[in-house]
Structures are given as structure tokens and as C-alpha cells.
Amino acid sequence: MNNKEYIERGRFAPSPTGRMHLGNVFSALLSWLSIKAQGGKWVLRIEDIDPQRSRMEYADLIMSDLEWLGLTWDEGPFYQSERGEIYEAELQKLADRGMTYPCYCTRADILATQAPHESDGRVVYKGTCRNLKPGTHSGPAAIRMRVPEEGEGIVSFVDGHYGEQTVDLTTQCGDFIVRRKDGAWAYQLAVVVDDALMGITEVVRGRDLLLSSPQQIYLAKELGFAPPRFTHLPLLCNTEGQRLSKRDRSLDMGALRSRFEAEDIIGLLAYKAGLQKSPNRVTAEELVAGFDWKKIGCEDIILVEN
């Protein structure tokens, strides 16, 4: 690709497991603004790889809500559920190099080996199945990606908002799943392959996914891809300090659209982000010219419902 053809490409990649809530909209808005401020294109990808929880009606609602908010996409929607053959080919490349192995551990097995590593309950897989001899186990198995030995798996990158990040994959992440035990594709593999093949140059998402970035950088490089830039943003939280989720039904788009206009919601989020001095009604398009990551704080944002 020569310089004349180069264009920045961002993406929004929601999972259709429920209606979008205000936290999802916050991520979508900042992703959209960031790429539009660079004159780039915004790609919509529906991450429907969880067959048990994904629903087409939720995907349709997500697209309806984005259009209502004025967050229109330039390419897509692309559905991960239709891209299994692509993931299979990339996984085979890793398997051929001995980079993967089957894991028969249950979640209970893994939890029993240690205390949670992170405050959100994250645990680091200890590699129980890493060196199993073929034929010693049978039944369904997840597929894990090998990370380097301790001290050799250091990944450093500069986050677009939180700055320099350094992670030891071995001690902080462990060998991670690239295909689930039920055969479904794991998030880490699918997202890395799709970002690369769709030419994504910038990924904007919540800071709760910060620890996923070094895993994705490592996996991308092992597959021969150039990883995108990562920019993480503060989380919207309820008055108890918990990040917004589908539990907060009063803040999902169904409830919000019944009470407010799109410009009200965009205005409130722009104010909370520091992009304007008051929660005045505004369109997303009107925010593009003044968008600057330096205006956005790093602390999570407490949202008080009215």
C-alpha cells in the first residue's frame, strides 16, 4: 500500500448479546470521533462468535441505535460468524509451528490452582496441559496459544491515552485460549485476524481490555501481521463505582431512546468526556473538528442518573 492509498481505519466491534448501554455508546462515540478527526474510515464488525448468546435481533438493534445516534459506518457490517474458514486457516499456521496445544482443564480446575491475579477475577493459566503427551486425555479440549517462558514474554506498547505499557505475558496473562472447548472461536484469535485483514490501524475501546492488547500484539506478530495502535478510554461507572453493563437497564438504548433525543445523549457523553464544557445538545458530526484526546481524562467517570 503506497502513501497515496493509505487511510486511517478504526472500528467498532460490538457483541450482539443484548441492547447497547450508555457505556457501549461512549466507546462507539470516541472511536468514531477519533477516526473521523483523522479523516479516516469507521468499520462496523459484529462479533457474534458466541453461538449461545449472540442474537441477530440484537445486531439489528445495535445498527439501528448507531444510525439514530448519527454514528454511521463506512464499511460493514461484517459478521464474525461467517468467517470461520479464515480463522481456521490462521489457527492451522500456529499449530504447524507448535504454537498451540489442547487444554482439557475446566474453569474449576484453573480456579483451584491459584487466587485471582487481577481485581476483576482474572486468573493466569499455569500451563497444566502444556506438555501433555498425545493420547493421555480424551474428550473436548480448548486450544491455547503458547506464550514465551518467564522473562522472555515482555510486550511493551504505547497506549494512545494511558501511555507506556509493559506486560509480562507469562506472569500476567499465561497461555490464552484461541478456540473454545465447544468449538467456538475465542475472542483473541478472531479479533487479531479481523483487525489485520480489514486493515484496522486504530483500536479504541474501554480500559477494561487493556490487558488484552499485549496478547493481541503478540499473536498478531506470530501470525505475521502488524498490530494496530491501541487507545483505551476511561469507563462509565454507576454510583457504586461499577462499570456500566447490561444490568443497568435504565441506561440501555431502549430506555434512553424513549426519554431523550440523540443530541441529548451525545451532548451528555461529550461533556462527561471533557469535549465540551456543558452537556448541551450536539451532534457527533459537530464534535469532530474539536476532538482531542488530551481533553479526555484518565479517571473512570461516575454517571449519576437523573
Side-chain angles (χ1 to χ4, degrees):
M1 183 180 292
N2 61 45
N3 289 335
K4 292 182 179 180
E5 297 172 332
Y6 181 82
I7 188 167
E8 296 288 348
R9 293 166 63 84
R11 51 85 162 167
F12 182 54
S15 299
T17 57
R19 194 78 182 259
M20 281 203 304
H21 56 72
L22 206 55
N24 303 135
V25 176
F26 188 58
S27 292
L29 174 63
L30 293 189
S31 171
W32 190 90
L33 288 173
S34 182
I35 207 66
K36 291 299 178 180
Q38 300 171 68
K41 292 188 175 182
W42 201 54
V43 178
L44 178 62
R45 186 171 71 226
I46 304 297
E47 298 199 336
D48 57 343
I49 50 175
D50 188 333
Q52 296 178 340
R53 299 175 62 218
S54 298
R55 299 286 184 271
M56 182 57 72
E57 56 264 35
Y58 289 137
D60 292 340
L61 284 171
I62 288 168
M63 289 185 279
S64 171
D65 291 337
L66 289 173
E67 289 179 325
W68 182 78
L69 289 161
L71 302 177
T72 54
W73 52 97
D74 300 292
E75 296 179 19
F78 300 103
Y79 294 87
Q80 286 189 327
S81 59
E82 299 174 355
R83 299 172 60 81
E85 291 184 2
I86 298 172
Y87 307 144
E88 188 77 61
E90 297 300 328
L91 180 60
Q92 190 60 49
K93 292 177 185 178
L94 297 171
D96 290 345
R97 294 171 49 213
M99 297 293 295
T100 63
Y101 63 89
C103 174
Y104 300 90
C105 296
T106 65
R107 180 162 179 79
D109 294 333
I110 297 169
L111 289 172
T113 65
Q114 61 177 335
H117 180 269
E118 298 288 339
S119 60
D120 63 0
R122 184 188 300 272
V123 295
V124 179
Y125 183 64
K126 293 294 189 180
T128 305
C129 295
R130 190 178 237 242
N131 298 310
L132 285 180
K133 294 181 180 179
T136 56
H137 280 69
S138 61
I143 304 298
R144 288 188 181 271
M145 175 76 179
R146 296 179 186 271
V147 299
E149 299 297 329
E150 186 170 351
E152 298 177 3
I154 305 297
V155 175
S156 295
F157 68 100
V158 179
D159 183 78
H161 193 50
Y162 287 94
E164 184 72 29
Q165 306 290 319
T166 299
V167 170
D168 187 330
L169 290 175
T170 313
T171 59
Q172 292 179 259
C173 302
D175 296 340
F176 53 90
I177 292 175
V178 287
R179 192 165 195 173
R180 294 183 352 190
K181 190 175 290 188
D182 62 3
W185 295 103
Y187 167 75
Q188 303 291 22
L189 178 70
V191 73
V192 165
V193 171
D194 284 345
D195 283 346
L197 298 185
M198 294 177 187
I200 303 302
T201 59
E202 177 183 77
V203 171
V204 174
R205 59 192 183 189
R207 68 161 187 82
D208 54 321
L209 290 172
L210 236 170
L211 197 56
S212 283
S213 296
Q215 297 172 68
Q216 291 167 13
I217 291 169
Y218 170 67
L219 182 52
K221 290 181 176 178
E222 289 299 325
L223 287 169
F225 300 137
R229 301 186 309 277
F230 292 96
T231 300
H232 292 81
L233 49 97
L235 303 177
L236 287 189
C237 298
N238 60 26
T239 52
E240 296 177 354
Q242 301 167 324
R243 69 182 177 92
L244 296 188
S245 71
K246 294 180 176 66
R247 295 188 304 267
D248 301 285
R249 296 301 298 273
S250 63
L251 295 176
D252 79 16
M253 284 302 295
L256 292 170
R257 285 180 67 166
S258 71
R259 298 169 57 198
F260 303 104
E261 297 296 324
E263 292 81 1
D264 298 319
I265 295 171
I266 297 295
L268 172 64
L269 292 178
Y271 168 64
K272 290 293 186 180
L275 297 176
Q276 58 178 10
K277 295 181 179 180
S278 62
N280 291 339
R281 289 165 51 91
V282 69
T283 66
E285 190 65 45
E286 289 170 332
L287 292 169
V288 172
F291 179 79
D292 190 338
W293 278 105
K294 293 178 182 177
K295 297 179 180 178
I296 300 171
C298 291
E299 297 295 321
D300 288 345
I301 299 166
I302 303 297
L303 197 66
V304 179
E305 296 184 53
N306 294 318

